[in-house]
Amino acid sequence: MKDALGSNQTLRLLFWETTIKCNLTCAHCRRLESDEAAFRDLSTAQAKSLIEQLAELGREQPIMPVLVFSGGEPLCREDLFEMVGRAKSLGIVPALATNGTLIDATMATMIKENGIVRVAVSLDGATAEIHDKLRQLEGSFERAVEGVGHLRDKNVPFQVNITLTRHNAGQLKDVYELAKSLGAIALHIFMLVPVGCGQALAETDMLSPEQYEQKMLEICRLDGRGQLQMKVTCGPHYERVIRQQGLQQSRMGTDQERIMNVEQGISKFNIRHSKFDRGCLAGLGVLFVGHQGDVFPCGYLPVKCGNVLEDKLSEIWYNNQDLARMRDSNGLEGKCGVCGYRHMCGGCRARAYAATGNYMAEEPFCAYIPPEAVRFGNW
């Protein structure tokens, strides 16, 4: 159960919604609460308890999890760096996910000095026109790019995140080139999941399954250049695409190299172990803790699995029945259940839940028709 790197019960990434506060109101955001709900954020003492619980769980594993300080906007939390320090003191690897607009030279210095290993900055377009429309704040693109510049000046490793929609899908290659020119070490592409504010956006801006497939192929071609680390989030069928295109062997090192990277804290925010991995890591290698302490399989799947103020994180991780069910790819339904790629893909459980209310239902935005589905008359 806990004796192999990448075991189904090895927690690799814990995303903590440090605060519900944010200086932006992005159209695709998962949050529904306003800044006024920030009084319900975990207190300093409660947050330290969460971090200590994570360290306790990590000591039971071959690797210590990465703690991603997220939000809202984590830089709005006054005791953020105190929490980062506590995490580091316990051997936890800290990373930061931010919109980048609050990063000036002073903030970049604090990020560097407090030992954050990587910062993820969201750029939802290669131009201000596209980015600012999604972020719903004029000037947010310029400020985010300036923030990235301050990180680069301080030699803080950073990646660019983009949430792909119809609105910005045509700029994918341009965002790739922008990320390279800015000095990013990675580009993470998030496929829109219809939760939170994104529910309204999904009605007009969600890519069709066929469009997703075409974008996956475009990502695959960019990935094949080997110029940036690339990862597709909430697009688990990318695991199928890279195998169909023969990319997986060229893009990953040996098992030993990957294990060494984990042990040395290299590329902690882009952990990929194809031998052990699955496209959808909700509840498998990832957890999300909301600003009030509620625990979810990921930030886009609103199935509450417990609360760290009431239950130990390790008890939730090892004993929750919803998490156990999600880990069993043989329990997938519909075409996902008979797909030959189900063990490496798994389909997006959050999109399945959003579409049907059943997180084990088939991925609704995958165009692939498994031969097995045709053979057994399921399609």
Side-chain angles (χ1 to χ4, degrees):
M1 181 171 69
K2 310 176 192 177
D3 59 353
L5 179 62
S7 158
N8 282 359
Q9 290 186 266
T10 296
L11 178 61
R12 306 181 197 176
L13 291 167
L14 187 138
F15 292 84
W16 171 36
E17 185 181 40
T18 59
T19 178
I20 201 66
K21 284 184 184 178
C22 190
N23 61 319
L24 301 181
T25 55
C26 303
H28 54 291
C29 184
R30 61 167 297 281
R31 73 170 189 159
L32 286 172
E33 297 172 276
S34 66
D35 285 3
E36 285 69 33
F39 73 92
R40 298 192 184 97
D41 291 347
L42 293 181
S43 68
T44 297
Q46 290 169 337
K48 286 183 177 179
S49 175
L50 164 63
I51 293 168
E52 289 160 4
Q53 290 181 50
L54 179 61
E56 180 181 349
L57 193 162
R59 286 190 286 269
E60 300 175 357
Q61 302 184 157
I63 58 172
M64 188 66 76
V66 178
L67 175 56
V68 183
F69 292 84
S70 183
E73 173 48 57
L75 295 179
C76 289
R77 182 168 176 126
E78 294 180 358
D79 63 355
L80 175 68
F81 292 109
E82 181 181 352
M83 298 301 102
V84 171
R86 183 58 180 150
K88 281 187 64 65
S89 72
L90 294 172
I92 296 170
V93 180
L96 178 69
T98 172
N99 61 46
T101 62
L102 299 179
I103 301 177
D104 55 16
T106 300
M107 183 62 71
T109 298
M110 294 179 67
I111 290 170
K112 176 72 172 181
E113 291 179 348
N114 281 275
I116 291 175
V117 299
R118 189 185 292 194
V119 179
V121 178
S122 297
L123 289 176
D124 287 316
T127 61
E129 178 185 5
I130 298 295
H131 176 90
D132 290 358
K133 183 176 180 179
L134 275 169
R135 294 284 156 174
Q136 301 188 144
L137 179 66
E138 187 176 350
S140 58
F141 177 79
E142 181 180 357
R143 289 166 59 187
V145 170
E146 288 177 355
V148 162
H150 291 303
L151 293 173
R152 184 180 60 244
D153 292 343
K154 302 299 180 184
N155 295 315
V156 176
F158 67 91
Q159 69 185 51
V160 168
N161 289 356
I162 176 174
T163 298
L164 210 60
T165 68
R166 289 183 184 178
H167 183 67
N168 62 12
Q171 288 200 335
L172 177 58
K173 182 178 178 181
D174 293 331
V175 171
Y176 180 92
E177 297 296 342
L178 175 62
K180 279 201 311 175
S181 69
L182 292 173
I185 61 175
L187 175 62
H188 285 205
I189 302 161
F190 289 70
M191 299 301 186
L192 181 64
V193 179
V195 296
C197 299
Q199 287 179 301
L201 183 65
E203 295 178 6
T204 59
D205 233 25
M206 197 89 171
L207 295 172
S208 69
E210 293 74 23
Q211 289 170 325
Y212 268 117
E213 191 75 7
Q214 290 304 309
K215 284 297 147 185
M216 294 290 183
L217 290 171
E218 183 178 348
I219 293 167
C220 191
R221 289 191 290 270
L222 292 172
D223 200 354
R225 295 181 182 182
Q227 298 168 334
L228 280 176
Q229 296 174 11
M230 294 190 71
K231 185 177 186 299
V232 180
T233 297
C234 298
H237 24 313
Y238 187 61
E239 296 297 327
R240 164 182 56 82
V241 171
I242 62 173
R243 285 161 176 79
Q244 290 176 323
Q245 299 299 312
L247 179 63
Q248 79 277 13
Q249 293 302 322
S250 63
R251 71 200 292 269
M252 300 176 187
T254 65
D255 291 344
Q256 186 59 38
E257 287 171 340
R258 292 195 293 272
I259 292 170
M260 287 175 63
N261 283 348
V262 172
E263 290 174 345
Q264 295 171 9
I266 300 172
S267 302
K268 281 289 193 173
F269 211 26
N270 191 39
I271 298 175
R272 291 189 64 90
H273 309 292
S274 64
K275 181 178 177 180
F276 317 109
D277 223 349
R278 194 174 80 181
C280 181
L281 291 178
L284 188 70
V286 168
L287 277 183
F288 180 90
V289 177
H291 75 112
Q292 299 182 65
D294 291 333
V295 179
F296 302 95
C298 77
Y300 304 101
L301 181 48
V303 174
K304 182 179 174 180
C305 299
N307 186 290
V308 295
L309 302 181
E310 302 166 1
D311 311 289
K312 288 183 63 175
L313 186 64
S314 59
E315 292 176 357
I316 297 170
W317 179 245
Y318 289 119
N319 300 323
N320 179 265
Q321 293 304 303
D322 286 309
L323 296 179
R325 189 179 175 205
M326 288 177 207
R327 291 167 184 149
D328 182 12
S329 55
N330 290 320
L332 294 172
E333 301 173 11
K335 67 177 182 180
C336 285
V338 297
C339 182
Y341 292 102
R342 67 185 179 276
H343 299 301
M344 62 189 66
C345 169
C348 177
R349 298 302 96 217
R351 272 198 297 272
Y353 184 82
T356 67
N358 173 14
Y359 56 72
M360 296 301 284
E362 68 181 46
E363 158 70 68
F365 285 87
C366 177
Y368 179 68
I369 308 300
E372 296 86 354
V374 177
R375 187 180 309 124
F376 294 110
N378 294 330
W379 196 261

